[in-house]
Amino acid sequence: MKETRKLKFRRGKIKPPSQKRIKRVSSMMMKDFSVMPVYLIVPFSIYSSSVTFRFLHTVITKFFMSQYLQKLHITHRKIKHVDHELDWKIPFRPDKAKIYMEFINIWIRPLCMLLKRFGVRHGSKLCAEFLRYIDLSYREAWKIYSVCMTTTVRPECKSSKAITGIQKADPHYLCVPSLHIAIVCLCFSFYRMLFEREGFTQKEKDTWNKELYEHAVSIGETVLYVKQHSVNCIPAALYMMTRIAPELFTPEMAVTFINDLFKNQKDIPESDRKKINAHMQFTYERFLLEGAATAEDWTEPVLRWLYDYVPFNVKQNVSLRS
């Protein structure tokens, strides 16, 4: 990997932290870092404020507002179902809603680690580097959303306040590509690169790479358990990340991520798990191969697939499997 590719979104020099700072954080798990310092520092630091507000503007206009305008019938974009019959090989698990909601904390807590390890000045620069990637991910996903919105059938679950709250708050029109999957994969792959580039200790790399990856896999499983996404949404997200951030996320990482989904779960028969993972890998490789001929526009194979896709009718299954 060339250094120029590693420095795609880096701005300015980063001063190595003191041994005192390293010692202070190296024994912590990523889940132990608070999110509050990030909210209090990153939006106001001169090194990260501009990219923070650009990212917030992107999320508001290209993710939240676009869905609510559609829900209120102010805009009238095409909406297509992307359900697949394999989705219903995965049980509906309302108890997984808490893990699903960890999608935000999985990438905010590491920013706190950067602030504590490098200090506000240099930590903010590294936070800004990650935020440039996450902003890129939302903007690139919008290239699909702005042409064709996508949704899936979600079973009602009045017994779960968490599921009811998620479904009421989320209009659920932006499924392909799944930003949940894109961001968790960006998170573990970005830090895998950063830990090497910035000379983190072996202990830090071993502990935090493992934790971030396992957390990403658990969230990847949960988007299917709570029926917020289809098995079709995951390969589209992995393909997008392969194309827009090849310096971080490789096809090998994508295939490994797919194969690790549900590996340690006991509620899906192994025969079904193999079918689910094989479908996702086949779809991902299809996008990758078709996209090789469209180097300037990664969206073409995904949009072509959306135009041709005939969704599985799950309405009759929902009452039986929820």
Side-chain angles (χ1 to χ4, degrees):
M1 186 182 295
K2 295 181 179 179
E3 185 66 14
T4 53
R5 298 180 74 191
K6 289 185 180 182
L7 301 177
K8 180 175 181 178
F9 283 130
R10 186 175 178 178
R11 303 287 187 273
K13 295 181 179 180
I14 305 299
K15 181 181 178 181
S18 66
Q19 288 302 310
K20 183 179 179 180
R21 283 189 176 276
I22 294 174
K23 186 177 180 180
R24 189 185 304 161
V25 303
S26 61
S27 61
M28 297 177 67
M29 297 295 287
M30 203 66 76
K31 65 181 177 61
D32 296 328
F33 289 97
S34 170
V35 299
M36 288 309 298
V38 179
Y39 292 128
L40 295 174
I41 295 171
V42 174
F44 307 106
S45 167
I46 61 172
Y47 302 102
S48 54
S49 58
S50 61
V51 67
T52 300
F53 285 103
R54 184 169 67 248
F55 167 61
L56 291 174
H57 179 266
T58 299
V59 173
I60 291 169
T61 59
K62 300 188 186 304
F63 188 77
F64 289 112
M65 189 179 296
S66 63
Q67 294 188 82
Y68 280 101
L69 289 175
Q70 186 77 15
K71 186 175 183 179
L72 296 171
H73 306 291
I74 297 173
T75 60
H76 302 88
R77 289 191 175 91
K78 178 182 177 64
I79 302 177
K80 185 161 187 177
H81 274 263
V82 291
D83 305 278
H84 192 280
E85 59 183 319
L86 287 172
D87 296 331
W88 297 94
K89 299 289 186 181
I90 303 166
F92 179 41
R93 294 283 303 275
D95 58 302
K96 297 283 188 178
K98 185 176 180 180
I99 298 175
Y100 174 82
M101 294 303 295
E102 277 289 298
F103 159 71
I104 297 174
N105 287 336
I106 190 177
W107 64 266
I108 292 185
R109 287 191 182 115
L111 300 183
C112 180
M113 176 275 293
L114 295 176
L115 294 173
K116 289 185 176 295
R117 192 181 191 276
F118 290 89
V120 170
R121 179 181 178 183
H122 296 283
S124 295
K125 293 179 183 178
L126 295 173
C127 290
E129 184 177 0
F130 179 81
L131 288 171
R132 291 184 184 99
Y133 272 110
I134 197 171
D135 181 66
L136 173 69
S137 302
Y138 273 82
R139 287 177 181 274
E140 290 293 322
W142 172 248
K143 291 181 179 179
I144 300 290
Y145 303 156
S146 62
V147 177
C148 180
M149 289 184 161
T150 44
T151 192
T152 60
V153 173
R154 298 183 293 181
E156 291 185 5
C157 186
K158 295 180 180 178
S159 62
S160 171
K161 292 183 178 179
I163 292 294
T164 301
I166 290 170
Q167 293 182 355
K168 285 185 176 179
D170 179 14
H172 196 55
Y173 295 146
L174 307 180
C175 288
V176 172
S178 165
L179 276 167
H180 255 72
I181 298 299
I183 301 310
V184 299
C185 288
L186 169 63
C187 190
F188 81 74
S189 61
F190 173 83
Y191 286 100
R192 191 174 294 181
M193 175 278 294
L194 193 75
F195 293 160
E196 293 294 334
R197 193 188 72 191
E198 301 300 334
F200 279 63
T201 66
Q202 193 62 47
K203 177 183 178 181
E204 290 171 321
K205 289 188 287 187
D206 291 345
T207 301
W208 292 337
N209 278 330
K210 182 175 185 291
E211 184 181 3
L212 286 171
Y213 181 74
E214 290 180 349
H215 200 176
V217 170
S218 69
I219 292 174
E221 294 169 345
T222 304
V223 302
L224 297 174
Y225 274 132
V226 301
K227 305 304 175 187
Q228 281 290 109
H229 282 292
S230 164
V231 294
N232 288 321
C233 308
I234 292 178
L238 298 177
Y239 166 67
M240 179 182 78
M241 296 312 298
T242 306
R243 289 292 302 270
I244 70 173
E247 68 276 13
L248 300 181
F249 194 72
T250 67
E252 291 77 16
M253 289 181 181
V255 172
T256 299
F257 183 81
I258 289 171
N259 289 332
D260 284 340
L261 292 174
F262 305 111
K263 181 184 288 186
N264 299 315
Q265 301 298 335
K266 305 300 182 184
D267 53 3
I268 301 175
E270 181 62 17
S271 58
D272 288 341
R273 189 187 82 85
K274 288 181 178 179
K275 291 176 183 177
I276 292 163
N277 292 8
H279 171 77
M280 288 191 285
Q281 184 170 335
F282 174 82
T283 306
Y284 169 75
E285 292 177 350
R286 169 185 170 174
F287 290 150
L288 202 63
L289 289 172
E290 291 185 13
T294 57
E296 297 302 318
D297 187 0
W298 69 269
T299 66
E300 286 190 15
V302 180
L303 289 173
R304 188 160 51 242
W305 174 82
L306 279 173
Y307 291 145
D308 295 339
Y309 185 67
V310 178
F312 177 65
N313 184 357
V314 301
K315 288 186 177 181
Q316 60 183 350
N317 298 62
V318 171
S319 61
L320 297 175
R321 300 297 299 271
S322 62

